């Protein structure tokens, strides 16, 4: 499991006297509905202590893009935070996006130039028809954000493009040099304004294995279903039009840290005062559980199985010949009656033909496609493989498949995460500014601060429930949403106190007045959360109290 440094030494020469006066950067990680709800709780608590107004840079990935895009739209539309929170909370509670996407997929051709039936395209349609739809009933486009004048000056919705294997950013920036795309492909701003925000969210959350890659620009919805020529030119190579495959931003950076650092690298950027990484990466102490082959092994070898299949094929062929002969005789004698003989003669004949074709195709696939691809072995390798017992062969296949899955879904991702965290924590610009708001923070042992109420068993249970939730696009029970949202509130509350204690390194009585006031507010809320973890949530959502009691 990736670990990150939590102490910053040396401390910066000057520390802010008031955190409500410094620019805040916020990175919202991927993680499906778990991420969307945890980040919603984090935003809610930052709003509660009046720090959210200082948000100047936002970077989102996958599930974080759900919450981040909806919050930015609330700023664009001038919607108050309470209304945003309640509407989005109810959406997460009541909407099963995956089920809705399957329903859309069954309705026929997609609404995009490619016309391809893909689940990810149906998901984009669902996003456009639900939480990314304007009050007038039209899907939001990126232009709504690009043309807005809001306090968040740097916004990056992150995806990964597979042509070169790097990040692809749909972003708004105060810096004119910031590209919509990346260093290889840059989409003109006027053309990018037409991109549906739902398609951006779909690309940002299009995780491999669960969804197909999005083909840009053919799989995006455009006015009159026509791709703008400037977009075609932007993704072309050597004068030829070539599409891009876009997938989950978490493949490149699941925490969204890199985009915030990139915005800081621009010379005209305002220096961050706080850099919050809101991360729902589930704890993984063991990335790969080695499969054990403890079951008694049978004696059947692959060679014997092959001979059995050959014998079965011969029996099937003889059966077809016998049944066909009897059928021909009845037809000749005029005793054949279609409906009377359909299930007794014709259907068995069709089924046997199907079995023969399947077995023949399977053997041909192994012989002509699989074995020749084994390096330096080819068909000759079968002479050795057929001596293996079937159970031994299946165990070898299991080892290869499970290790490959662990490599792509855990080992590589953990390595990428470690490299990006190292980059952030080793950067002198962020010493004394980084706050890692990880979902399992309150699950770890020895969660305590001097002079602060110890973590209660009730609050720890909520945090454990939140950290254990799988990555899905739905909640099985409303309680899951409540627990994950509360975990977001409580975790950022604790981490802010921890941050203040590390940075100011003194007793609260000696803190600067504004910091002392914030500390007292955090401490009081922490006590409330330990007594009743759902207390702050129920202030925002009174209906939650009725549902729980």
């Amino acid at each position: 499991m990736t670990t990150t440094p939590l102490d910053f030494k040396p401390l910066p020469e000057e520390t802010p006297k008031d955190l409500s006066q410094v620019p805040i950067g916020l990175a919202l990680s991927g993680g499906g509905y778990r991420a969307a709800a945890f980040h919603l709780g984090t935003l809610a608590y930052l709003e509660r202590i009046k720090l959210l107004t200082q948000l100047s840079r936002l970077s989102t990935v996958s599930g974080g893009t759900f919450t981040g895009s909806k919050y930015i739209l609330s700023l664009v539309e001038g919607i108050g935070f309470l209304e945003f929170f309640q509407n989005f909370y109810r959406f997460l509670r009541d909407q099963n996006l995956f089920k809705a996407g399957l329903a859309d997929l069954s309705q026929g051709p997609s609404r995009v130039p490619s016309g391809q039936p893909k689940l990810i395209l149906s998901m984009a349609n669902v996003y456009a028809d639900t939480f990314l739809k304007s009050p007038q009933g039209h899907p939001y486009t990126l232009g709504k954000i690009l043309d807005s004048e809001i306090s968040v000056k740097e916004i990056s919705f992150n995806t990964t493009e597979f042509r070169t294997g790097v990040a692809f950013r749909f972003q708004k920036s105060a810096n004119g040099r910031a590209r919509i795309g990346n260093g290889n492909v840059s989409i003109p701003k006027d053309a990018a304004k037409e991109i549906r925000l739902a398609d951006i969210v779909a690309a940002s959350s299009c995780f491999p294995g669960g969804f197909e890659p999005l083909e840009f620009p053919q799989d995006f919805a455009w006015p009159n279903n026509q791709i703008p020529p400037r977009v075609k030119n932007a993704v072309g190579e050597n004068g030829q039009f070539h599409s891009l495959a876009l997938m989950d931003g978490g493949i490149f950076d699941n925490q969204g840290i890199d985009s915030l650092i990139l915005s800081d690298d621009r010379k005209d950027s305002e220096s961050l005062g706080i850099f919050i990484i809101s991360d729902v990466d589930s704890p993984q102490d063991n990335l790969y559980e080695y499969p054990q082959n403890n079951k008694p092994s049978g004696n059947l070898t692959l060679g014997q199985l092959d001979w059995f299949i050959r014998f079965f094929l011969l029996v099937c062929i003889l059966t077809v010949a016998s049944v066909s002969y009897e059928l021909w005789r009845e037809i000749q004698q005029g005793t054949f009656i279609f409906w009377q003989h359909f299930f007794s003669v014709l259907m068995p004949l069709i089924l046997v033909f199907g079995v023969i074709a399947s077995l023949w195709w399977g053997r041909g696939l192994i012989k002509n496609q699989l074995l020749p691809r084994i390096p330096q072995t080819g068909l000759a390798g079968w002479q050795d493989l057929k001596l293996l017992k079937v159970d031994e062969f299946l165990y070898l296949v299991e080892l290869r498949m499970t290790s490959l899955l662990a490599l792509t879904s855990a080992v590589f991702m953990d390595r990428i995460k470690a490299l990006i965290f190292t980059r952030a924590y080793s950067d002198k610009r962020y010493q004394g500014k980084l706050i890692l708001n990880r979902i399992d923070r309150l699950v770890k042992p020895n969660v305590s601060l001097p002079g602060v109420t110890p973590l209660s068993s009730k609050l720890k249970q909520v945090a454990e429930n939140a950290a254990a939730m799988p990555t899905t696009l739905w909640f099985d029970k409303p309680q899951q949403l409540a627990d994950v949202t509360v975990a977001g509130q409580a975790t950022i509350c604790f981490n802010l106190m921890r941050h203040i204690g590390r940075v100011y390194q003194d007793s609260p009585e000696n803190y600067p007045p504004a910091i002392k006031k914030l500390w007292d507010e955090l401490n009081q809320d922490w006590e409330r959360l330990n007594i009743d973890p759902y207390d702050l949530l129920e202030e925002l959502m009174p209906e939650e109290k009725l549902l729980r009691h």
Side-chain angles (χ1 to χ4, degrees):
M1 181 174 66
T2 298
T3 58
T4 54
L6 295 173
D7 297 313
F8 313 101
K9 294 180 179 180
L11 294 171
E13 294 180 2
E14 295 184 4
T15 53
K17 301 296 189 294
D18 186 352
L19 294 185
S20 65
Q21 300 299 317
V22 300
I24 295 176
L26 179 61
L28 305 181
S29 77
Y33 261 28
R34 182 180 73 253
F38 184 79
H39 302 325
L40 180 62
T42 300
L43 290 176
Y45 193 75
L46 292 175
E47 169 70 14
R48 175 180 176 81
I49 57 175
K50 299 179 175 56
L51 288 185
L52 193 56
T53 55
Q54 295 304 115
L55 181 64
S56 66
R57 297 179 207 170
L58 178 68
S59 174
T60 71
V61 180
S62 196
T65 305
F66 283 80
T67 302
S69 62
K70 188 63 176 175
Y71 174 65
I72 292 299
L73 287 173
S74 74
L75 296 180
V76 171
E77 295 285 10
I79 296 173
F81 185 86
L82 180 61
E83 182 179 350
F84 150 72
F85 181 92
Q86 292 178 339
N87 289 340
F88 193 59
Y89 187 94
R90 293 184 183 117
F91 168 79
L92 293 176
R93 182 188 64 198
D94 302 334
Q95 185 72 58
N96 185 323
L97 292 177
F98 193 73
K99 182 178 180 181
L102 291 175
D104 184 270
L105 183 64
S106 66
Q107 292 178 4
S110 56
R111 320 172 199 173
V112 295
S114 71
Q116 295 295 320
K118 296 180 181 178
L119 179 57
I120 189 61
L121 300 185
S122 293
M123 298 301 293
N125 291 337
V126 172
Y127 305 158
D129 294 340
T130 53
F131 76 107
L132 295 177
K133 181 173 64 175
S134 72
Q136 294 75 34
H138 305 298
Y140 280 112
T141 62
L142 184 59
K144 187 71 175 178
I145 295 176
L146 294 178
D147 292 336
S148 66
E149 291 294 334
I150 57 177
S151 57
V152 187
K153 301 302 180 184
E154 303 284 331
I155 303 166
S156 182
F157 303 131
N158 301 293
T159 70
T160 304
E161 62 99 341
F162 276 28
R163 181 192 290 178
T164 57
V166 297
F168 192 92
R169 300 177 175 93
F170 295 93
Q171 60 184 335
K172 170 185 171 70
S173 176
N175 188 300
R177 299 188 303 275
R179 299 181 178 185
I180 297 174
N182 56 30
N184 304 306
V185 176
S186 180
I187 309 302
K189 183 176 179 180
D190 59 342
K193 289 181 180 181
E194 302 293 340
I195 298 176
R196 231 177 25 167
L197 203 56
D199 294 324
I200 295 173
V201 173
S204 182
S205 57
C206 179
F207 56 88
F211 297 108
E212 315 84 359
L214 268 166
E215 187 179 16
F216 182 84
Q218 293 95 320
D219 282 344
F220 280 49
W222 301 98
N224 303 316
N225 211 27
Q226 297 295 317
I227 303 171
R230 295 190 68 186
V231 174
K232 283 188 175 183
N233 293 336
V235 299
E237 281 188 324
N238 301 321
Q240 299 294 321
F241 172 60
H242 295 288
S243 60
L244 296 175
L246 299 182
M247 295 204 78
D248 196 304
I251 299 169
F252 184 82
D253 171 16
N254 196 45
Q255 283 64 46
I257 298 171
D258 199 66
S259 292
L260 286 187
I261 296 177
L262 182 63
S263 70
D264 239 6
D265 290 339
R266 299 175 187 130
K267 301 303 182 183
D268 54 355
S269 297
E270 185 180 17
S271 222
L272 288 177
I274 302 176
F275 189 143
I276 301 174
I277 304 167
S278 189
D279 184 15
V280 303
D281 188 24
S282 298
Q284 299 181 72
D285 294 321
N286 187 354
L287 300 181
Y288 180 62
E289 189 71 40
Y290 201 96
Q292 298 301 314
N293 190 24
N294 296 326
K295 297 180 181 179
S297 179
N299 294 319
L300 183 65
T301 66
L302 290 177
Q304 292 169 338
L305 179 62
D306 181 54
W307 279 109
F308 174 77
I309 292 174
R310 293 178 186 224
F311 177 75
F312 186 70
L313 273 172
L314 177 61
V315 171
C316 288
I317 292 171
L318 293 176
T319 301
V320 168
S322 174
V323 173
S324 298
Y325 176 73
E326 291 298 324
L327 180 62
W328 178 80
R329 283 186 57 192
E330 292 195 16
I331 292 174
Q332 291 295 315
Q333 295 173 3
T335 59
F336 175 76
I337 302 174
F338 180 80
W339 292 113
Q340 181 177 334
H341 292 83
F342 180 79
F343 288 104
S344 61
V345 179
L346 290 178
M347 184 54 69
L349 195 61
I350 293 171
L351 291 175
V352 174
F353 264 122
V355 170
I356 294 173
S358 298
L359 291 175
W360 194 266
W361 174 84
R363 292 188 79 255
L365 181 68
I366 295 173
K367 181 178 179 180
N368 301 319
Q369 299 293 328
L370 180 60
L371 291 178
R373 294 183 182 184
I374 300 175
Q376 301 178 356
T377 302
L379 294 177
W382 174 242
Q383 301 303 317
D384 298 313
L385 285 176
K386 69 181 184 179
L387 299 178
L388 286 175
K389 296 178 181 178
V390 173
D391 293 340
E392 294 172 337
F393 177 75
L394 292 177
Y395 181 56
L396 295 180
V397 172
E398 180 186 7
L399 290 175
R400 282 160 175 75
M401 295 303 295
T402 54
S403 60
L404 179 62
L405 181 63
L407 179 70
T408 55
S409 65
V411 178
F412 276 172
M413 297 292 287
D414 217 46
R415 178 59 177 161
I416 293 169
K417 180 178 178 179
L419 291 172
I420 293 175
F421 267 112
T422 299
R423 180 184 177 191
Y425 277 94
S426 62
D427 195 321
K428 293 182 179 180
R429 291 175 297 179
Y430 307 128
Q431 288 179 355
K433 298 178 180 180
L434 278 163
I435 299 177
L436 178 56
N437 194 52
R438 184 162 169 163
I439 195 171
D440 65 333
R441 173 67 257 176
L442 302 183
V443 176
K444 296 179 179 179
N446 302 322
V447 178
S448 62
L449 294 170
V452 175
T453 302
L455 178 70
S456 69
S457 59
K458 289 189 292 185
L459 183 54
K460 184 175 183 180
Q461 184 61 59
V462 169
E464 289 176 346
N465 294 343
M469 183 189 165
T471 301
T472 61
L473 291 178
W474 64 85
F475 287 109
D476 293 321
K477 299 177 182 178
Q479 187 64 41
Q480 287 179 312
L481 171 59
D483 285 346
V484 179
T485 307
V486 167
Q489 293 174 307
T491 306
I492 190 61
C493 176
F494 177 85
N495 282 324
L496 281 167
M497 286 193 293
R498 196 163 178 266
H499 173 76
I500 290 173
R502 284 199 309 262
V503 171
Y504 295 92
Q505 295 186 343
D506 205 341
S507 63
E509 290 72 20
N510 297 323
Y511 291 162
I515 301 298
K516 174 64 165 59
K517 181 181 178 182
L518 175 59
W519 172 271
D520 290 341
E521 188 175 355
L522 294 169
N523 203 354
Q524 290 170 10
D525 285 341
W526 179 251
E527 289 186 10
R528 290 179 62 182
L529 287 164
N530 274 284
I531 295 170
D532 181 359
Y534 305 99
D535 195 16
L536 301 186
L537 174 62
E538 289 170 356
E539 280 189 2
L540 298 170
M541 297 291 299
E543 64 199 65
E544 281 298 306
K545 189 170 186 177
L546 297 176
L547 290 173
R548 227 180 316 279
H549 300 290

